[in-house]
Amino acid sequence: MRARRVARLLGSLDVFLSEPLRRASAEERVRCRMLVGASCLLLLVDVLFLFYVPFSGAPWAFGLIGVGCFGGFAGALWLLRRSTSSRGPAVVLCTLLTGGIVASGFFAKDVSVGLHPACMLIPVLSIYLLGTWDSLPFVVVVGVSVGLALPLWHGARGSEWMRCVFAAVFMLGTWGMGWLMLASRAQMSTELERALRTLRESEGKLTSLLENTEDIVCSLDAEGRLIAANLALRDMYQEIIGEEPMAGDLLFPERAPETLRRRWKECTAQVLAGKRVRFEASPSRLKRARVLDISVNPVLDGGGQVVGMTVFGRDITARKEAEARLGEMHRSLMDVSRQAGMAEMATGVLHNVGNALNSVNVSVNLLFERLRQSRVEGVGKVAELLAEHGADLGAFLTADGRGRQLPAYLRVLGTQLNAERAVLLEEVRTLQTSVEHIKTVVSMQQAHARFSGVVERLEVTELLDDALRLQAESFEQLGIQVRREYTPGALVQVDRHKLLQILLNLLSNARHALLESGRPDKHLVIRVERMVAERLRIAVADNGVGISPEDAPRLFTQGFTTKKDGHGFGLHISALAAAEMDAFLSCTSDGRGQGATFTIDLPIAGEESRA
């Protein structure tokens, strides 16, 4: 209310200004208004002075001064209605005011007129209306008159002289203070102009940036009314609402879709409570189906109160499509992972079964040769000979030469048959062991395949032993010494098939690394240890060829391999499978020839142990 009254008062002064002065700069208009106010004030004072004239000591002289000043002050107002600059009326006003005061001092009876407070108007008005150096002549004239000429004219003595000198000094001091004020204001104006120019440049850059971005950007007040919006938002607003957004309107008026307004109301309620809200939206009225990532942020004042909101929106349709394709690719990789795991397990099964079948084949061939060379047919010949001489068996055994050799032959035959029986039994036991090994390997593979895709609680050391059994024959043939360092009893809750697949892959890689190293002392350490934060770590450490520092960052990327005949899927798929189990697969190595250690960090199932 007070500001409006001040504005009306200042506007009333503009009636004395010409049209060019009303359209002048703000600084020039302020100077003109000051000139109008000073002229009106001096006209009022001059009227009072004219009433005083009849009682003065020199009525004719003071009357002429008063009438002349009245006409000059009125003339200054008249010039303001005709001029395009305030300088002419200001010179007229300052000249008449200076001349009137100086002339009144000389016609007065004493120096009191020179000490009148009106003298201070000259340095104040002149320095503001005319500037620093153009006002100096008026101040010097008044100062010399008050401090020197008038005391000499009236013959002032003692204290009167000193008062005049002090008055002149204060006039000059007032001019100096005005000069300091104008100089400071000029410097401040220069800095302000520089700051405003920088601000305008920054605003232009920001506006250009916001207008050229494809993201949606707008600002709102606390009531949800639009303050500013970029081109992207205006285009999308046109698609959804059907018209251009206007500053001061609600972002989503009554004509907007009901579901959109309801969701926006819920969002703004949280933002006005000081929270940042982020959500995804797919407006159905868009010409092209798009997914938008919307972020609404509160704008706070110095006291922490929410005074507005900013809205940022980004078209993430391409990213969503890429995520969908990535998800499909991930599922394909997991299918490949399962197939690779099955192939790895099948390779281990076939390798172990093949080794066992070699033993079976050797045992069967040996049994065949032993049976073909067996002397068991001699028993049949003895039986036939005894049957022929059944009637005179006693005479045959005592008188016949063949009969007398028969007991010795039977003893030798029995010895040979016992020896053959022992060899055949040993080969049958070997054959039985090989068949049992085949059955064990096949049943173990079937047991693990049966639990594929099912998360279960299991003791990891048992699964490690199964994995080692599948690789046992290969390790023995290569002379790899395996050392187990287990922490027994710890349970994990994982997919048995995925974990076994990872373990088989790590053991296979360790076997290749040890084989490639050519070391006579091939060592493989399988370690299970408890970690912090309820985690269990499985470490597979070998003293094989190791991993170079430049290969380490790419170790788990798809398609990377150091094997001549490798495909680069094993470790990548193992890392994906570990991530799906909330596990983490990593590797450390001191470099080529220093061996490598692969670790799997698994979540513990919640039970400390079986006990």
Side-chain angles (χ1 to χ4, degrees):
M1 182 65 70
R2 180 179 301 175
R4 285 199 293 269
R5 281 199 294 267
V6 172
R8 282 199 298 269
L9 175 61
L10 295 176
S12 65
L13 298 177
D14 291 345
V15 298
F16 294 97
L17 305 180
S18 64
E19 190 62 29
L21 291 178
R22 292 178 185 177
R23 296 196 302 268
S25 64
E27 185 178 1
E28 179 69 7
R29 287 201 308 273
V30 171
R31 189 179 295 112
C32 291
R33 288 169 178 172
M34 177 67 77
L35 186 56
V36 170
S39 299
C40 293
L41 175 63
L42 291 174
L43 282 173
L44 178 61
V45 171
D46 195 67
V47 171
L48 295 177
F49 179 75
L50 290 175
F51 280 109
Y52 164 74
V53 166
F55 305 99
S56 63
W60 289 104
F62 283 114
L64 290 174
I65 294 172
V67 172
C69 288
F70 186 88
F73 298 149
L77 290 176
W78 181 84
L79 286 174
L80 284 172
R81 290 286 297 176
R82 300 292 186 275
S83 301
T84 58
S85 172
S86 64
R87 185 171 183 78
V91 171
V92 171
L93 180 69
C94 292
T95 302
L96 288 174
L97 180 59
T98 303
I101 290 176
V102 171
S104 298
F106 282 105
F107 286 106
K109 297 179 180 180
D110 52 33
V111 298
S112 59
V113 174
L115 301 176
H116 196 277
C119 295
M120 299 300 296
L121 283 174
I122 294 174
V124 172
L125 286 176
S126 63
I127 198 170
Y128 183 77
L129 297 176
L130 297 174
T132 303
W133 302 111
D134 290 342
S135 66
L136 184 58
F138 298 100
V139 178
V140 170
V141 169
V142 175
V144 171
S145 299
V146 172
L148 181 61
L150 290 180
L152 290 175
W153 178 263
H154 291 288
R157 297 181 181 276
S159 61
E160 287 185 347
W161 186 280
M162 292 304 298
R163 287 199 299 271
C164 291
V165 172
F166 277 120
V169 171
F170 273 103
M171 287 181 191
L172 293 173
T174 301
W175 177 86
M177 295 299 294
W179 175 80
L180 287 176
M181 183 195 73
L182 290 179
S184 300
R185 191 180 69 172
Q187 183 179 8
M188 181 182 67
S189 298
T190 302
E191 294 178 356
L192 180 61
E193 181 63 28
R194 187 183 300 114
L196 289 175
R197 185 166 58 251
T198 304
L199 181 62
R200 285 192 294 269
E201 291 175 357
S202 300
E203 183 180 1
K205 293 177 181 178
L206 180 60
T207 302
S208 176
L209 177 65
L210 294 179
E211 290 296 336
N212 292 321
T213 182
E214 296 181 355
D215 294 344
I216 296 170
V217 182
C218 73
S219 60
L220 311 170
D221 61 15
E223 297 179 357
R225 300 184 182 278
L226 189 64
I227 298 175
N230 69 339
L231 180 61
L233 183 131
R234 293 196 295 270
D235 291 342
M236 186 166 293
Y237 195 91
Q238 179 73 33
E239 291 186 31
I240 297 175
I241 307 299
E243 60 185 40
E244 286 285 335
M246 302 297 295
D249 291 344
L250 291 173
L251 184 62
F252 295 109
E254 293 295 330
R255 56 186 175 278
E258 176 63 26
T259 55
L260 191 60
R261 288 192 295 111
R262 184 171 60 252
R263 187 171 186 180
W264 176 248
K265 185 176 180 180
E266 297 173 355
C267 173
T268 53
Q270 299 181 53
V271 175
L272 292 176
K275 299 179 180 179
R276 178 176 178 267
V277 179
R278 186 172 181 178
F279 59 92
E280 293 181 1
S282 301
S284 57
R285 293 194 177 188
L286 294 177
K287 296 178 181 179
R288 177 175 59 87
R290 281 177 282 178
V291 181
L292 304 176
D293 182 11
I294 307 295
S295 175
V296 187
N297 307 281
V299 178
L300 307 178
D301 60 7
Q305 298 296 320
V306 179
V307 295
M309 296 172 279
T310 57
V311 180
F312 299 92
R314 172 164 293 183
D315 188 348
I316 58 171
T317 306
R319 191 181 78 187
K320 285 294 183 181
E321 293 174 353
E323 288 177 355
R325 290 193 297 269
L326 184 62
E328 184 64 29
M329 185 181 300
H330 180 71
R331 286 190 292 271
S332 299
L333 280 176
M334 293 313 300
D335 291 340
V336 173
S337 168
R338 175 170 172 76
Q339 294 172 5
M342 293 173 62
E344 187 74 24
M345 186 178 294
T347 301
V349 169
L350 291 175
H351 184 78
N352 284 275
V353 170
N355 290 333
L357 286 176
N358 286 335
S359 299
V360 170
N361 186 47
V362 171
S363 298
V364 169
N365 288 332
L366 187 58
L367 286 174
F368 176 76
E369 288 296 324
R370 289 289 184 179
L371 289 174
R372 188 173 62 84
Q373 298 174 5
S374 177
R375 295 291 188 269
V376 70
E377 60 183 8
V379 176
K381 293 179 180 181
V382 170
E384 291 177 358
L385 188 60
L386 291 175
E388 290 176 3
H389 300 278
D392 55 346
L393 185 58
F396 174 73
L397 292 175
T398 56
D400 194 315
R402 293 181 299 171
R404 288 195 302 270
Q405 295 177 357
L406 189 59
Y409 175 76
L410 288 175
R411 285 195 300 271
V412 173
L413 181 61
T415 301
Q416 290 180 349
L417 290 178
N418 284 331
E420 288 179 2
R421 178 177 175 276
V423 171
L424 292 176
L425 285 176
E426 182 62 29
E427 290 303 324
V428 169
R429 279 195 294 270
T430 301
L431 181 61
Q432 185 180 18
T433 301
S434 298
V435 172
E436 288 295 329
H437 181 64
I438 292 173
K439 290 173 59 180
T440 301
V441 171
V442 172
S443 63
M444 183 172 56
Q445 190 274 339
Q446 291 175 342
H448 292 305
R450 188 167 55 246
F451 289 102
S452 175
V454 178
V455 175
E456 59 178 306
R457 183 180 286 112
L458 56 90
E459 190 167 356
V460 73
T461 55
E462 295 180 356
L463 198 64
L464 277 169
D465 290 338
D466 289 345
L468 287 171
R469 275 195 292 270
L470 288 172
Q471 300 282 350
E473 292 291 336
S474 298
F475 288 166
E476 290 178 5
Q477 290 178 1
L478 296 175
I480 299 174
Q481 299 179 13
V482 180
R483 186 171 77 251
R484 296 174 173 87
E485 298 178 0
Y486 291 169
T487 298
L491 300 175
V492 293
Q493 189 159 340
V494 293
D495 184 333
R496 177 191 293 267
H497 170 77
K498 290 179 181 177
L499 182 55
L500 181 62
Q501 168 193 335
I502 297 172
L503 294 175
L504 287 173
N505 190 21
L506 296 184
L507 292 175
S508 177
N509 287 345
R511 177 166 52 84
H512 284 292
L514 291 169
L515 178 62
E516 186 179 346
S517 69
R519 300 173 61 105
D521 55 334
K522 301 179 180 66
H523 296 290
L524 179 65
V525 179
I526 312 298
R527 187 180 303 111
V528 178
E529 54 187 346
R530 295 289 297 271
M531 305 299 293
V532 295
E534 296 300 319
R535 307 284 288 185
L536 186 73
R537 172 170 292 177
I538 303 172
V540 179
D542 64 73
N543 60 343
V545 293
I547 299 169
S548 61
E550 59 271 17
D551 290 339
R554 300 180 294 163
L555 201 57
F556 297 100
T557 57
Q558 181 179 352
F560 176 77
T561 181
T562 58
K563 302 176 184 177
K564 294 180 180 180
D565 56 347
H567 46 65
F569 284 154
L571 287 177
H572 176 66
I573 293 174
S574 297
L576 293 178
E580 289 193 344
M581 296 188 297
D582 190 24
F584 181 72
L585 180 61
S586 61
C587 175
T588 57
S589 176
D590 293 334
R592 297 293 293 179
Q594 303 298 316
T597 301
F598 286 83
T599 59
I600 315 169
D601 290 343
L602 297 162
I604 294 178
E607 299 181 15
E608 292 297 324
S609 65
R610 292 187 184 276

